[in-house]
Amino acid sequence: MNEKIATIFGGSGFLGRHLVRKLTEKEYRVIVATRSPYLSGFLKPLGNPGQIELIKTNIYDEDSIRKILKKSDIAINLVGILSENKKQKFEFLHSEFTKLLAKLCAELNLKKLIHISALGVKENHTSKYMQSKFLGEKNIINNFDASIILRPSIIFGPEDKFFNTFASIAQFSPILPLIGGGHTKFEPVYVNDVAEAIVRSIELNIFKPTIYELGGPSIYSFKELLNILLKTIKKKRLLVPIPFSVARLNSYFLQMMPNPLLTPDQVELLKYDNIASGQFPNLNDLDIYPSNVQSILPKYIYRFRTGGQFG
Ligand SMILES: NC(=O)c1ccc[n+]([C@@H]2O[C@H](COP(=O)([O-])OP(=O)(O)OC[C@H]3O[C@@H](n4cnc5c(N)ncnc54)[C@H](OP(=O)(O)O)[C@@H]3O)[C@@H](O)[C@H]2O)c1
């Protein structure tokens, strides 16, 4: 058994569950530092008995984090949100928490910190999500040398938000919106490839903070992705271009939903292409040859087809 202990913050989410499986396959011992161990019990069968420990953690409390990191060799930060509410703020979750984490990793001499940021991060971005992710990266770079920052494009896989949300809308709506005309470009990356990149990053020998851009094998526009989705679920829907200004107006109402469908900040995000700059190493540099959307999407999105997998 690999005796290294990898601690994941945000491990019960979409990427987290795929990562836990990859780590246990490589025989790491895994600690999932989570707000709700009771609700994260589904992770336990992803490893051997005793291989995965779920620990209740308050990331606002330094001592709570220190206690867990004392037991760890590697820290992995997947904590993130796509929209804010009264309690959940980008600034703390994406930026201040990363500073605390990086400082504690340095203090406790951890072997490596892997941090998941986002493709397209840059200074002066008009989205608050991206601004906070940018500050998060800076906080890591300034505080802990043995860190690797991974910037994925939109991640797809069984529990993804992008394809599942639009497939759900297509169940009842005759139209799908093309925000900003649907021209925004993405480089969708498969969740298992991102999880594999994290695992390989752990073993890299680096002496200063290093950034990787994680994109899939092809670039698609928002409109092309919706067409691929509709073809896969065998549905015909009208794709209606919506100017950014109109989408922004609608988003003021949509953001009030418990799980907001669209926020003004997400409209800002859609104004920028989400593709690799090419200035940083990528998945190929980690010896990973990423899967494409067309080969993976039918394996999980079939439930939205009339007749399901037999449709
Ligand atoms: N999915 C994508 O397309 C995509 C693209 C680019 C970048 N990313 C980044 O990749 C990371 C993982 O994404 P994901 O899709 O797996 O997200 P996710 O499913 O929403 O999971 C995020 C995790 O963040 C943790 N979290 C949220 N608020 C928290 C709080 N107040 N205190 C403690 N933990 C909190 C939750 O952990 P617990 O519930 O266990 O506490 C949750 O499991 C995020 O940083 C995200 O920004 C994702």
Side-chain angles (χ1 to χ4, degrees):
M1 182 114 165
N2 184 340
E3 280 306 315
K4 282 194 195 129
I5 300 182
T7 292
I8 314 175
F9 295 85
S12 69
F14 165 43
L15 174 55
R17 61 194 74 192
H18 293 267
L19 174 62
V20 168
R21 184 77 195 111
K22 289 260 177 208
L23 288 168
T24 55
E25 276 169 6
K26 293 265 157 65
E27 304 202 330
Y28 283 93
R29 285 174 57 201
V30 179
I31 294 177
V32 178
T34 171
R35 289 169 294 178
S36 42
Y38 177 68
L39 296 176
S40 311
F42 64 90
L43 293 171
K44 284 269 191 179
L46 300 177
N48 293 327
Q51 199 178 3
I52 300 168
E53 199 179 347
L54 309 174
I55 301 185
K56 188 170 174 63
T57 312
N58 175 4
I59 64 167
Y60 293 81
D61 172 23
E62 186 170 331
D63 284 338
S64 165
I65 304 170
R66 183 180 280 108
K67 221 161 107 187
I68 290 185
L69 289 180
K70 267 186 186 164
K71 304 192 204 181
S72 317
D73 299 293
I74 295 130
I76 303 168
N77 181 24
L78 308 184
V79 171
I81 51 170
L82 252 183
S83 56
E84 294 187 308
N85 59 32
K86 272 189 192 144
K87 288 189 183 153
Q88 301 270 78
K89 297 292 175 198
F90 288 141
E91 194 184 341
F92 179 79
L93 294 171
H94 294 166
S95 168
E96 288 171 29
F97 170 61
T98 50
K99 187 175 194 170
L100 185 57
L101 188 59
K103 281 189 161 181
L104 289 173
C105 285
E107 175 193 314
L108 300 167
N109 213 5
L110 260 72
K111 291 192 176 67
K112 194 78 60 68
L113 166 61
I114 317 289
H115 170 71
I116 310 302
S117 184
L119 200 62
V121 159
K122 62 175 183 181
E123 205 167 7
N124 303 325
H125 202 290
T126 50
S127 142
K128 275 175 77 183
Y129 170 91
M130 282 296 185
Q131 287 164 15
S132 61
K133 285 277 190 188
F134 176 77
L135 290 176
E137 287 193 1
K138 260 181 106 174
N139 286 337
I140 298 245
I141 290 167
N142 292 338
N143 288 291
F144 190 54
D145 283 341
S147 39
I148 295 192
I149 294 168
L150 302 177
R151 294 177 173 175
S153 182
I154 187 170
I155 305 175
F156 66 93
E159 308 85 5
D160 69 40
K161 291 190 185 83
F162 184 86
F163 288 115
N164 281 294
T165 303
F166 281 104
S168 309
I169 296 174
Q171 294 303 294
F172 62 84
S173 171
I175 63 161
L176 291 179
L178 289 176
I179 296 164
H183 304 300
T184 316
K185 291 194 176 70
F186 296 94
E187 216 172 338
V189 58
Y190 181 37
V191 65
N192 263 334
D193 293 326
V194 179
E196 185 63 34
I198 296 174
V199 175
R200 293 196 187 188
S201 301
I202 294 175
E203 303 301 338
L204 285 179
N205 269 329
I206 50 124
F207 306 98
K208 61 178 177 87
T210 308
I211 296 175
Y212 282 81
E213 292 185 321
L214 309 185
S218 312
I219 294 174
Y220 304 94
S221 68
F222 186 94
K223 184 178 178 181
E224 284 169 332
L225 288 177
L226 289 191
N227 276 324
I228 291 171
L229 171 69
L230 289 172
K231 196 172 162 205
T232 313
I233 60 174
K234 298 185 181 171
K235 291 213 178 341
K236 287 202 167 79
R237 295 292 180 262
L238 201 60
L239 298 179
V240 180
I242 313 245
F244 284 122
S245 56
V246 176
R248 194 174 170 83
L249 199 65
N250 289 336
S251 68
Y252 284 109
F253 301 101
L254 293 170
Q255 70 177 334
M256 290 172 199
M257 297 167 76
N259 283 319
L261 263 184
L262 187 68
T263 66
D265 199 64
Q266 285 163 1
V267 176
E268 286 308 306
L269 275 178
L270 285 168
K271 290 182 181 170
Y272 299 79
D273 288 336
N274 196 251
I275 54 179
S277 69
Q279 290 167 11
F280 299 94
N282 60 25
L283 281 172
N284 293 167
D285 296 295
L286 292 167
D287 241 343
I288 298 171
Y289 297 89
S291 303
N292 66 33
V293 174
Q294 284 93 337
S295 65
I296 302 292
L297 189 63
K299 293 184 183 164
Y300 67 90
I301 211 74
Y302 61 78
R303 69 192 174 97
F304 291 100
R305 275 201 301 251
T306 308
Q309 59 182 311
F310 305 110

